[in-house]
Amino acid sequence: MLEKVLPKVERKALKNALGLLEIDKLRFTWSVMFGAGAIGSGIGLGAVSAWLIARAAQLPPVLDLSVAATSVRAFGVGKAVFRYLERISSHWVALKGMSAIRTRLYAHLSQAPTNLTSSLKRGDILARTGNDVDTLGDVVIKSLLPLAVATVTATIGTLIVGFISPLIGLILGCCLLLSGLIGPYLAMRGARESEIAQIAQKTELNIWALTMLEHATELRVNGKLPALTTQATQIEDKIQQHRDRSALPRAIATVIEILALGISVVAALLIGTYQVAHGDLSAIGLVVCTLTPLAAFEATQRLPEAGVQLVRSARAALRIMDLLEVTPSTPATLNTNQEKSSLPTSYSNSASSAALLPDTKQNSAQLVVKDLSLAWPNHTPIAHDINLSLSIGKSIAIVGKSGIGKSTLLYTLAGLIPPQQGTVLVNGAPAHTIARSEISQTLTFTAEDAHIFGTTVLENLRVANGELTPEQAKILLTQVGLAKWLSELPEGLDTMIGTDARSISGGQRRRLLVARALASPAPILLLDEPGEHLDAHTADTLIRDLLQLSKLGRAILLVTHRLTPLDAADEVIILGTPNSSNIENQTAHHTSACTVVARGTHAELQEKVAEYSWSVAQEG
C-alpha cells in the first residue's frame, strides 16, 4: 500500500536524508514527550471535566470535587506549557538538522565536478539548498513528531476509556486507527501528483524570479520584462491550481476523521447506556467514555497533513540526494616528494609594487600540461595537443579568437574539468584528482565571471585569504589601481558592496577580482581576461604588472584579448584552427577542435605570424 504513495526510490532517499539530518534522538524523544503531554493534558482535561460535571450534578460535598477542580486547572495550564516546550524542542532538532545538511551540501558542491554545478541553473541550486532543505526539515516537525505523538496519546486515550469500559475502549481504538491510517493514506495518495507538480513549478518559478531580479534593467530595455512577468504569473496560477487539487483529498481525510469521531461517540452512548442499565457501568463512567474521545481525536487531526508532508519531504530528499550522490573529485595528496615548506605560508608586508607575494625561496610549484585534449564532460573536444610548462618565475599568455576555448582551458588546468586526453599535472599529481582544499594552496583560478559577494570590500578579498589584514588589503587595491576608488568609499574597506557587484562598475569589478587573486597564498595564478571592461591604457598597465609578478616569486598564466602588453610575458601561446584569420575581435565558428598554432615571445610572434602582428597594430 505504501508503495503507491511513496515509491522505493523515494523511501530510500528519505531514509538516507534523515540520516544526514543528524536528528538528536534525545531531544526528539523529549519533543515527543512534550507533545504527548500537551495532547494528553487535553485528554485528561476532557476526562476530568466530564467526571466533574457528572459528579457535581449529584450534589456531593464540595471537598469531593476539589481534587478534580484543581486537576482541570492543571491540565488547562499544562496543555499550553507542554505545547510551548514541544515547539522549542522540536524546532531545535529540525533547525540543527537543516543546518547540518546545508553544510554538507555546500561542502559537497564545492568539491563536486564542475559539469554538475554548471549544469544546474542558479534558481535550481537555490531551490535545492533552500526550499528542499526546508521541506526536508519539516518532516521532523510535521510528520515524524505528529506520528509519534499520535501513537502515544491515542494509546493513552484508549487505555483510559478501556479501563472504564473495555468494549467502548476497543471501539475507540478501532476508530482512532481508521482516522490515523485510512485518512492520511487517502490524503497522501490523492495529493502525490499535485505535490510533485508543485515542487517542479516552484523550482521553475525560482529560476524565472531570479532572472527577473538580476536582469531587470536589461529585460526592461529589451522589452522582455512584461512577457517574463506574465510567464511567472502563469506558473503561480498553476501552483495555485495544484494546491486546490491537493486540498480535496485532505478534505476527504477530514471527513473520515469526523465520521470516526462520530462513530466512537455514538457507540459509547449506545453501549454505555446498555451497560449502565445492566449495572456494568456507572453513570459518571458513561459521561467520561462519551466525552473523552472528543479530546483523543486531537491526536489524529494532524496526521493527514503529516502524510502529505511525508510525500513533499520524500521528493525533496530525492532532489537533495541526487546532488550528494554525485561523487566529487577524488582527493589526492600533492606530490609526496615535495617538501611541505615549499608551499607558500607567509606574506611580505612591504608596501612596494610587489606587495603580498608568497615566501617562495624554496618553492618548486609547477604546472605541466602534456598532449592535452579538453572538452566539457559529455561534449565533443574543443582543443587538442596542448603542451605547456609553467613554474615559479615564468609567465605565459594565452590568446585566440573569442569562444575558441581559452576559458575552458583554464578550467581544465585548475582541475575543475577532467582532461579528455592527456594530463594536467600540479606538482606531479593530476589536477582533477587533487582535493580543492589542497590544490588551492598551490594554484588559484580567477574566472571572468567570478562572483563578488554582497559584503564589505575587505571580506571580498578575504575570500582568498582569511588572514588578510586591512593594511595588506589597501596595498593590493593600490597595486591594481583602485587606490582612488578606495579613498572615495564612505567607509573605506568596510563599505558594503551590493550583491554580485551591482554597486560598482565593470572595470572596478575586474580589478577587485585581480586583487583577490593576488591575496591568495598560491604561487600559481590563472587569470581569465584581467583587463576586461578597462580602457586600453589601464588594461595594458594592469596586464604588464601581473606578468611581471612572475619575476618576484609567482607563476602567471593569463588569458587576454589585449596583445600590446604581452611584451612582458615569457611566452605567448596562440590557440587557433586551420585557415583562421586575424587573432582578435572575431568569434570562432570552427568546425574542428583548435590547437596551438604558434608560440614564442611577443617579439618572435610579431616577426613570424602576420595575423598576430596585424592584430597588435590594430590596437594602436
Side-chain angles (χ1 to χ4, degrees), residues 336-383:
T336 54
N337 294 326
Q338 178 184 336
E339 296 295 333
K340 288 185 179 180
S341 60
S342 67
L343 292 174
T345 56
S346 63
Y347 291 85
S348 166
N349 290 321
S350 170
S352 67
S353 61
L356 299 181
L357 294 175
D359 181 7
T360 54
K361 293 180 180 179
Q362 299 178 347
N363 198 294
S364 58
Q366 191 175 42
L367 175 66
V368 177
V369 177
K370 298 179 180 178
D371 302 323
L372 177 65
S373 291
L374 54 96
W376 285 91
N378 303 320
H379 288 73
T380 57
I382 60 175

Side-chain angles (χ1 to χ4, degrees), residues 42-43 46 172 261-262 264-265 289-299 301:
I43 296 174
L172 174 61
L261 172 61
S264 66
V265 172
C289 290
T290 303
L291 296 182
T292 299
L294 297 176
F297 274 86
E298 183 183 351
Q301 285 179 353

